[in-house]
Amino acid sequence: GLEYEALPQKSLDWHIELEISQDEAAAGGEKQVAYKRGRETKKLMVKIPSGVKTGTKIRLKGMGLVGNKKEGDLYLHVRVKD
């Protein structure tokens, strides 16, 4: 029989936790986020919707990992501090 070697499925999406205060969550606004992408540290401003809750995901298209001429997305997992 033929054997097929499964290619590892490597997602280019990147997930990081974004911790914000209750005031930031209530008011919304912009927050600078720094994260490592490969060897470089990326910094970007993220718009936070007002009234955001813990568990909300904010997707930033094309800001994830880069590989094979494609870019993944960056997902920020919001966690509101008690």
Side-chain angles (χ1 to χ4, degrees):
L2 290 171
E3 280 188 40
Y4 293 96
E5 191 176 315
L7 292 172
Q9 182 66 40
K10 190 165 185 243
S11 173
L12 295 173
D13 292 342
W14 195 244
H15 297 262
I16 57 175
E17 188 175 77
L18 176 64
E19 193 176 74
I20 60 174
S21 70
Q22 289 186 339
D23 290 345
E24 287 172 314
E30 290 198 322
K31 186 169 177 76
Q32 188 180 61
V33 176
Y35 66 104
K36 285 189 99 54
R37 186 164 103 165
R39 287 195 201 103
E40 57 181 344
T41 297
K42 302 281 281 182
K43 284 188 180 161
L44 47 109
M45 291 302 286
V46 178
K47 276 197 184 333
I48 298 183
S50 60
V52 73
K53 306 228 179 325
T54 294
T56 301
K57 279 189 219 162
I58 300 173
R59 177 179 171 223
L60 300 168
K61 198 163 167 38
M63 290 294 174
L65 303 176
V66 179
N68 215 2
K69 300 196 174 110
K70 287 198 281 234
E71 291 184 337
D73 300 332
L74 175 66
Y75 288 90
L76 300 174
H77 296 257
V78 175
R79 191 161 78 77
V80 181
K81 285 186 264 193
D82 296 332

